[in-house]
Amino acid sequence: MNVAEDSEHIVMLRDTLRRFIEKEMPRDQVSRWDKENMFPRDVHDKLVALGLTGLTVPEEYGGSGRDITATIVTIEELCSRSMAVGCAYIQSSCYAGLNLVEVGSEEQRRTLLPRVASEGLMFAYGFTEPDVGADLASVRTSGRREGDELVIRGSKRFCSGAAISDYIYALVRTGPAEEKYRNLSLVLIPPDTPGVVLEHQETMGLKGGGTFDVSFDDVRVPVKNVVGGAEGIGQGWPKLVGPGLDVEKIEVAAMALGIAKGAIGDAWAYAQERVQFGKPICSIQSIRHMLADVKTRFEACRLMTYSAAALIDSRRPAAAETAMAKLFVCDTARDIVLTCQQILGAYGYVRDFDMERYVRDILVMPILGGSSAIQRNNIANLLKLPR
């Protein structure tokens, strides 16, 4: 039995999500969201009404309690149909909910977590910069304290969902750059604050929330917007950054899993409907083998993802396992989707077929949230492989 399906509440959650997807996320609408690069706010609001953004929020703050496995199930199911909806869900339940629970001040938890559960409040990650990618501790965006305010100056790149979010969750340097892993802070910056400029980046996939370059020109925010409160100044590494990034690895794995699930479902159906030489192509041995392979690889991906989620739910160390899941699932899911595209032949390359969207979306998964090369480095280091 799959580790994600051995409890009644997870089975019920999947059933609820599948009914929701068929009713609120029909294929023609999903295609329109992708083509118009639009975020369906009304659908996000309906997910909130179901209580799904509260899966990472403790009951005392208006949620249903921290349940990482249920959160990952939700990401997988939503992303099997639409990244526009799935990514926004992550920005709410994970980027906002999980991070606030782990490292927010009590005031931030008290004021913002109920909004995650009841309004679907969203964060956009502001980590990457034009010259800073995997080496996050080298960020150059600065935060200078002036009384009860921080003055932010610098720029961020690949800030996905910035325009639809309530806050940019930005990593900034609040002290001398010479001490690389010190003097870093996380700051909540509303994107409509004077001095914040968003510049849209046109990307191949992940349509919906948009991806942005963000510049901060002497942007002023209250010191209380520092994650963890005033005591959080200079505490951004690794105390604040670490928890969110570990969970993000399996969030991305779940996204890839969802895309692969959608592609397999379409390829499986197409192979039974498409007739050549007087019979369905699923009777052709090479097609049968391709379908058997993608189903097998998908099950391996699923087991790795939910095994890592179970470790996090049980509060056990999971850094190596989440890195392994991110590496294996994203690389394997990419291969699964490309194989499914081959099964559809020329139709897999046509814009009117969902398979073309799956291909565009899956190609970024081995890059998003830490590239496959970085994960390999992380795994070797976490397992203490001598240099």
Side-chain angles (χ1 to χ4, degrees):
M1 181 176 291
N2 189 287
V3 292
E5 297 177 340
D6 58 359
S7 61
E8 184 178 355
H9 86 284
I10 293 296
V11 173
M12 291 176 62
L13 174 62
R14 282 197 189 274
D15 288 343
T16 297
L17 284 162
R18 289 167 183 172
R19 289 194 300 269
F20 179 90
I21 288 167
E22 291 309 311
K23 180 181 178 182
E24 306 293 347
M25 300 164 61
R27 286 178 182 259
D28 60 335
Q29 289 300 305
V30 171
S31 178
R32 182 173 68 86
W33 302 335
D34 177 73
K35 289 177 181 177
E36 298 178 8
N37 199 8
M38 66 167 288
F39 167 54
R41 172 72 66 174
D42 60 327
V43 178
H44 180 71
D45 290 344
K46 290 174 182 177
L47 281 172
V48 175
L50 286 176
L52 294 176
T53 55
L55 289 173
T56 58
V57 178
E59 293 182 15
E60 63 189 288
Y61 299 109
S64 56
R66 184 179 187 270
D67 190 335
I68 300 302
T69 297
T71 302
I72 296 303
V73 166
T74 304
I75 294 169
E76 178 197 342
E77 294 293 341
L78 293 176
C79 290
S80 71
R81 179 61 60 89
S82 169
M83 298 303 292
V85 178
C87 288
Y89 175 77
I90 291 170
Q91 287 179 239
S92 183
S93 63
C94 301
Y95 293 3
L98 283 175
N99 282 305
L100 287 167
V101 170
E102 293 288 342
V103 296
S105 67
E106 180 53 35
E107 180 185 359
Q108 289 163 349
R109 294 190 191 105
R110 190 177 65 254
T111 59
L112 296 179
L113 281 174
R115 293 183 59 196
V116 173
S118 65
E119 301 173 24
L121 176 139
M122 286 188 271
F123 286 1
Y125 275 173
F127 293 164
T128 304
E129 297 183 357
D131 295 317
V132 176
D135 186 14
L136 289 179
S138 294
V139 294
R140 298 177 183 176
T141 299
S142 64
R144 182 182 74 257
R145 184 165 186 174
E146 291 186 2
D148 292 332
E149 292 183 320
L150 277 185
V151 182
I152 313 295
R153 189 169 187 82
S155 60
K156 296 295 180 179
R157 176 151 287 175
F158 305 127
C159 192
S160 297
I164 64 172
S165 294
D166 299 274
Y167 293 98
I168 297 171
Y169 189 75
L171 183 65
V172 306
R173 186 165 296 284
T174 47
E178 291 75 20
E179 299 181 78
K180 179 176 178 180
Y181 291 99
R182 297 175 62 84
N183 304 314
L184 293 168
S185 306
L186 282 164
V187 185
L188 302 179
I189 306 174
D192 59 356
T193 304
V196 177
V197 177
L198 307 184
E199 182 180 349
H200 183 259
Q201 292 178 309
E202 191 62 45
T203 58
M204 178 186 296
L206 296 188
K207 305 293 185 178
T211 298
F212 297 84
D213 277 351
V214 183
S215 61
F216 307 105
D217 185 7
D218 290 337
V219 173
R220 292 180 175 271
V221 296
V223 168
K224 68 178 183 179
N225 281 29
V226 174
V227 177
E231 295 76 16
I233 296 176
Q235 300 298 311
W237 193 282
K239 180 180 178 182
L240 301 186
V241 175
L245 292 184
D246 267 351
V247 179
E248 187 188 14
K249 295 170 193 171
I250 58 167
E251 294 162 17
V252 179
M255 293 162 72
L257 198 64
I259 299 168
K261 179 179 181 176
I264 291 171
D266 286 6
W268 198 266
Y270 178 86
Q272 296 175 70
E273 296 164 0
R274 176 69 166 168
V275 174
Q276 290 290 282
F277 306 106
K279 56 185 179 181
I281 65 170
C282 65
S283 65
I284 300 170
Q285 187 179 60
S286 61
I287 300 295
R288 295 176 71 82
H289 286 182
M290 292 165 80
L291 289 168
D293 282 347
V294 296
K295 282 281 194 178
T296 302
R297 292 174 182 174
F298 179 81
E299 186 61 19
C301 290
R302 201 173 198 174
L303 288 167
M304 284 196 74
T305 301
Y306 288 105
S307 176
L311 284 175
I312 295 174
D313 266 331
S314 63
R315 305 276 184 176
R316 286 181 286 172
E321 288 79 5
T322 58
M324 291 176 184
K326 202 281 176 186
L327 168 65
F328 181 83
V329 174
C330 290
D331 283 1
T332 305
R334 176 198 57 206
D335 296 341
I336 287 172
V337 173
L338 292 177
T339 298
C340 290
Q341 185 188 39
Q342 292 178 41
I343 293 171
L344 265 69
Y347 290 107
Y349 198 68
V350 174
R351 191 77 191 270
D352 289 339
F353 280 71
D354 291 344
M355 190 63 70
E356 183 265 354
R357 185 180 75 252
Y358 299 144
V359 171
R360 284 188 285 109
D361 287 341
I362 200 64
L363 291 178
V364 77
M365 292 299 141
I367 302 170
L368 194 68
S371 70
S372 293
I374 291 297
Q375 300 310 326
R376 289 184 173 92
N377 287 341
N378 290 342
I379 293 163
N381 292 337
L382 287 163
L383 298 181
K384 304 187 185 306
L385 185 65
R387 291 185 180 274

Short mmCIF file of all heavy atoms in Angstrom, two decimals, residues 330-362:
data_model
loop_
_atom_site.label_atom_id
_atom_site.label_comp_id
_atom_site.label_asym_id
_atom_site.label_seq_id
_atom_site.Cartn_x
_atom_site.Cartn_y
_atom_site.Cartn_z
N CYS A 330 12.28 14.62 -9.54
CA CYS A 330 12.23 15.65 -10.60
C CYS A 330 12.91 15.16 -11.88
O CYS A 330 12.39 15.39 -12.98
CB CYS A 330 12.87 16.94 -10.10
SG CYS A 330 11.89 17.77 -8.84
N ASP A 331 14.05 14.50 -11.75
CA ASP A 331 14.71 13.98 -12.95
C ASP A 331 13.89 12.86 -13.59
O ASP A 331 13.74 12.79 -14.82
CB ASP A 331 16.10 13.45 -12.60
CG ASP A 331 17.12 14.56 -12.43
OD1 ASP A 331 16.74 15.75 -12.55
OD2 ASP A 331 18.31 14.25 -12.17
N THR A 332 13.33 11.98 -12.76
CA THR A 332 12.56 10.85 -13.29
C THR A 332 11.23 11.31 -13.87
O THR A 332 10.80 10.83 -14.93
CB THR A 332 12.32 9.81 -12.18
OG1 THR A 332 13.58 9.41 -11.62
CG2 THR A 332 11.61 8.58 -12.73
N ALA A 333 10.58 12.26 -13.20
CA ALA A 333 9.30 12.77 -13.72
C ALA A 333 9.49 13.45 -15.07
O ALA A 333 8.63 13.35 -15.96
CB ALA A 333 8.69 13.75 -12.72
N ARG A 334 10.61 14.16 -15.23
CA ARG A 334 10.90 14.74 -16.54
C ARG A 334 10.96 13.65 -17.62
O ARG A 334 10.37 13.79 -18.70
CB ARG A 334 12.24 15.51 -16.49
CG ARG A 334 12.70 16.08 -17.83
CD ARG A 334 14.18 16.42 -17.77
NE ARG A 334 14.96 15.23 -17.41
CZ ARG A 334 16.15 15.28 -16.81
NH1 ARG A 334 16.70 16.45 -16.50
NH2 ARG A 334 16.80 14.16 -16.52
N ASP A 335 11.66 12.56 -17.32
CA ASP A 335 11.77 11.47 -18.29
C ASP A 335 10.40 10.82 -18.55
O ASP A 335 10.09 10.43 -19.68
CB ASP A 335 12.77 10.43 -17.80
CG ASP A 335 14.19 10.98 -17.70
OD1 ASP A 335 14.46 12.02 -18.33
OD2 ASP A 335 15.01 10.37 -16.98
N ILE A 336 9.60 10.70 -17.50
CA ILE A 336 8.26 10.14 -17.65
C ILE A 336 7.43 10.98 -18.61
O ILE A 336 6.78 10.47 -19.53
CB ILE A 336 7.55 10.05 -16.27
CG1 ILE A 336 8.16 8.93 -15.42
CG2 ILE A 336 6.04 9.83 -16.44
CD1 ILE A 336 7.66 8.91 -13.98
N VAL A 337 7.43 12.29 -18.40
CA VAL A 337 6.59 13.16 -19.23
C VAL A 337 7.07 13.14 -20.68
O VAL A 337 6.24 13.10 -21.61
CB VAL A 337 6.59 14.59 -18.67
CG1 VAL A 337 5.87 15.55 -19.61
CG2 VAL A 337 5.93 14.61 -17.29
N LEU A 338 8.36 13.15 -20.90
CA LEU A 338 8.87 13.12 -22.28
C LEU A 338 8.54 11.80 -22.96
O LEU A 338 8.27 11.76 -24.16
CB LEU A 338 10.38 13.38 -22.28
CG LEU A 338 10.80 14.79 -21.86
CD1 LEU A 338 12.32 14.92 -21.82
CD2 LEU A 338 10.21 15.84 -22.80
N THR A 339 8.53 10.71 -22.20
CA THR A 339 8.10 9.43 -22.77
C THR A 339 6.62 9.46 -23.12
O THR A 339 6.22 8.98 -24.18
CB THR A 339 8.38 8.29 -21.76
OG1 THR A 339 9.78 8.21 -21.50
CG2 THR A 339 7.89 6.95 -22.31
N CYS A 340 5.81 10.04 -22.25
CA CYS A 340 4.38 10.15 -22.53
C CYS A 340 4.12 11.01 -23.77
O CYS A 340 3.21 10.72 -24.56
CB CYS A 340 3.65 10.74 -21.32
SG CYS A 340 3.58 9.63 -19.90
N GLN A 341 4.93 12.04 -23.95
CA GLN A 341 4.79 12.87 -25.15
C GLN A 341 5.06 12.04 -26.41
O GLN A 341 4.36 12.18 -27.42
CB GLN A 341 5.76 14.05 -25.09
CG GLN A 341 5.59 15.03 -26.26
CD GLN A 341 6.68 16.07 -26.30
OE1 GLN A 341 7.84 15.77 -26.04
NE2 GLN A 341 6.33 17.30 -26.65
N GLN A 342 6.04 11.16 -26.34
CA GLN A 342 6.34 10.30 -27.49
C GLN A 342 5.16 9.38 -27.81
O GLN A 342 4.89 9.09 -28.98
CB GLN A 342 7.58 9.46 -27.20
CG GLN A 342 8.88 10.26 -27.11
CD GLN A 342 10.05 9.36 -26.76
OE1 GLN A 342 10.18 8.25 -27.27
NE2 GLN A 342 10.90 9.83 -25.87
N ILE A 343 4.47 8.91 -26.77
CA ILE A 343 3.32 8.03 -27.00
C ILE A 343 2.24 8.76 -27.79
O ILE A 343 1.58 8.18 -28.66
CB ILE A 343 2.79 7.50 -25.66
CG1 ILE A 343 3.83 6.57 -25.01
CG2 ILE A 343 1.45 6.78 -25.84
CD1 ILE A 343 3.51 6.17 -23.60
N LEU A 344 2.06 10.05 -27.52
CA LEU A 344 1.07 10.83 -28.26
C LEU A 344 1.56 11.23 -29.65
O LEU A 344 0.77 11.75 -30.46
CB LEU A 344 0.67 12.08 -27.48
CG LEU A 344 -0.59 11.95 -26.60
CD1 LEU A 344 -0.33 11.02 -25.43
CD2 LEU A 344 -1.05 13.31 -26.09
N GLY A 345 2.83 11.04 -29.92
CA GLY A 345 3.37 11.40 -31.22
C GLY A 345 3.23 12.90 -31.47
O GLY A 345 3.45 13.72 -30.58
N ALA A 346 2.83 13.27 -32.67
CA ALA A 346 2.73 14.69 -33.04
C ALA A 346 1.72 15.43 -32.18
O ALA A 346 1.88 16.64 -31.92
CB ALA A 346 2.35 14.82 -34.51
N TYR A 347 0.69 14.72 -31.70
CA TYR A 347 -0.31 15.38 -30.86
C TYR A 347 0.30 15.88 -29.54
O TYR A 347 -0.20 16.84 -28.94
CB TYR A 347 -1.47 14.44 -30.57
CG TYR A 347 -2.32 14.18 -31.79
CD1 TYR A 347 -2.27 12.95 -32.45
CD2 TYR A 347 -3.17 15.16 -32.30
CE1 TYR A 347 -3.04 12.71 -33.57
CE2 TYR A 347 -3.94 14.92 -33.43
CZ TYR A 347 -3.87 13.69 -34.07
OH TYR A 347 -4.63 13.47 -35.18
N GLY A 348 1.36 15.24 -29.09
CA GLY A 348 2.03 15.68 -27.86
C GLY A 348 2.78 16.98 -28.02
O GLY A 348 3.26 17.55 -27.04
N TYR A 349 2.86 17.47 -29.26
CA TYR A 349 3.58 18.71 -29.56
C TYR A 349 2.64 19.85 -29.91
O TYR A 349 3.07 20.97 -30.14
CB TYR A 349 4.55 18.45 -30.73
CG TYR A 349 5.65 19.45 -30.89
CD1 TYR A 349 6.67 19.55 -29.94
CD2 TYR A 349 5.70 20.29 -32.00
CE1 TYR A 349 7.69 20.47 -30.10
CE2 TYR A 349 6.73 21.21 -32.17
CZ TYR A 349 7.72 21.30 -31.21
OH TYR A 349 8.73 22.21 -31.37
N VAL A 350 1.34 19.54 -29.93
CA VAL A 350 0.33 20.52 -30.33
C VAL A 350 -0.15 21.30 -29.11
O VAL A 350 -0.46 20.71 -28.07
CB VAL A 350 -0.85 19.81 -31.03
CG1 VAL A 350 -1.98 20.79 -31.32
CG2 VAL A 350 -0.37 19.16 -32.32
N ARG A 351 -0.28 22.60 -29.25
CA ARG A 351 -0.63 23.47 -28.13
C ARG A 351 -2.01 23.14 -27.56
O ARG A 351 -2.26 23.36 -26.38
CB ARG A 351 -0.60 24.93 -28.59
CG ARG A 351 -0.70 25.96 -27.46
CD ARG A 351 0.61 26.11 -26.72
NE ARG A 351 0.47 26.88 -25.49
CZ ARG A 351 0.61 28.20 -25.40
NH1 ARG A 351 0.88 28.91 -26.49
NH2 ARG A 351 0.52 28.81 -24.25
N ASP A 352 -2.92 22.64 -28.36
CA ASP A 352 -4.27 22.37 -27.89
C ASP A 352 -4.36 21.11 -27.01
O ASP A 352 -5.41 20.83 -26.45
CB ASP A 352 -5.24 22.23 -29.07
CG ASP A 352 -5.50 23.57 -29.74
OD1 ASP A 352 -5.29 24.61 -29.09
OD2 ASP A 352 -5.91 23.57 -30.92
N PHE A 353 -3.28 20.35 -26.93
CA PHE A 353 -3.26 19.15 -26.08
C PHE A 353 -2.52 19.46 -24.78
O PHE A 353 -1.49 20.14 -24.77
CB PHE A 353 -2.57 17.99 -26.81
CG PHE A 353 -3.46 17.30 -27.81
CD1 PHE A 353 -3.82 17.93 -29.00
CD2 PHE A 353 -3.95 16.03 -27.57
CE1 PHE A 353 -4.64 17.30 -29.92
CE2 PHE A 353 -4.78 15.39 -28.48
CZ PHE A 353 -5.13 16.03 -29.67
N ASP A 354 -3.05 18.94 -23.67
CA ASP A 354 -2.45 19.21 -22.36
C ASP A 354 -1.01 18.72 -22.27
O ASP A 354 -0.21 19.26 -21.49
CB ASP A 354 -3.28 18.55 -21.26
CG ASP A 354 -4.63 19.21 -21.08
OD1 ASP A 354 -4.81 20.34 -21.57
OD2 ASP A 354 -5.52 18.60 -20.44
N MET A 355 -0.66 17.69 -23.07
CA MET A 355 0.68 17.13 -22.99
C MET A 355 1.74 18.19 -23.27
O MET A 355 2.81 18.20 -22.64
CB MET A 355 0.83 15.97 -23.97
CG MET A 355 2.11 15.18 -23.81
SD MET A 355 2.24 14.35 -22.19
CE MET A 355 0.96 13.09 -22.39
N GLU A 356 1.46 19.10 -24.20
CA GLU A 356 2.43 20.15 -24.52
C GLU A 356 2.70 21.01 -23.30
O GLU A 356 3.83 21.42 -23.03
CB GLU A 356 1.89 20.99 -25.69
CG GLU A 356 2.84 22.08 -26.17
CD GLU A 356 2.57 23.43 -25.55
OE1 GLU A 356 1.56 23.56 -24.80
OE2 GLU A 356 3.37 24.35 -25.76
N ARG A 357 1.66 21.29 -22.49
CA ARG A 357 1.83 22.06 -21.27
C ARG A 357 2.61 21.27 -20.22
O ARG A 357 3.47 21.82 -19.52
CB ARG A 357 0.46 22.48 -20.71
CG ARG A 357 0.56 23.39 -19.49
CD ARG A 357 -0.79 23.80 -18.95
NE ARG A 357 -1.46 22.72 -18.23
CZ ARG A 357 -2.52 22.06 -18.66
NH1 ARG A 357 -3.05 22.35 -19.84
NH2 ARG A 357 -3.06 21.10 -17.94
N TYR A 358 2.31 19.98 -20.10
CA TYR A 358 3.05 19.16 -19.14
C TYR A 358 4.55 19.22 -19.44
O TYR A 358 5.37 19.32 -18.52
CB TYR A 358 2.61 17.69 -19.21
CG TYR A 358 1.16 17.41 -18.89
CD1 TYR A 358 0.47 16.42 -19.58
CD2 TYR A 358 0.48 18.11 -17.90
CE1 TYR A 358 -0.86 16.13 -19.30
CE2 TYR A 358 -0.84 17.83 -17.61
CZ TYR A 358 -1.52 16.84 -18.32
OH TYR A 358 -2.83 16.57 -18.04
N VAL A 359 4.90 19.15 -20.73
CA VAL A 359 6.32 19.17 -21.11
C VAL A 359 6.95 20.51 -20.71
O VAL A 359 8.04 20.54 -20.13
CB VAL A 359 6.48 18.92 -22.62
CG1 VAL A 359 7.93 19.17 -23.06
CG2 VAL A 359 6.09 17.48 -22.96
N ARG A 360 6.28 21.62 -21.00
CA ARG A 360 6.83 22.93 -20.65
C ARG A 360 7.01 23.08 -19.14
O ARG A 360 7.99 23.64 -18.67
CB ARG A 360 5.93 24.04 -21.19
CG ARG A 360 6.04 24.26 -22.68
CD ARG A 360 5.29 25.49 -23.14
NE ARG A 360 3.84 25.29 -23.17
CZ ARG A 360 2.98 25.84 -22.33
NH1 ARG A 360 3.41 26.62 -21.35
NH2 ARG A 360 1.68 25.61 -22.44
N ASP A 361 6.04 22.56 -18.39
CA ASP A 361 6.10 22.71 -16.93
C ASP A 361 7.15 21.79 -16.29
O ASP A 361 7.81 22.18 -15.33
CB ASP A 361 4.73 22.43 -16.32
CG ASP A 361 3.73 23.55 -16.56
OD1 ASP A 361 4.16 24.67 -16.88
OD2 ASP A 361 2.51 23.30 -16.45
N ILE A 362 7.29 20.58 -16.81
CA ILE A 362 8.19 19.63 -16.16
C ILE A 362 9.65 19.98 -16.35
O ILE A 362 10.50 19.64 -15.51
CB ILE A 362 7.93 18.18 -16.66
CG1 ILE A 362 8.48 17.14 -15.66
CG2 ILE A 362 8.53 17.96 -18.04
CD1 ILE A 362 7.83 17.14 -14.33
#
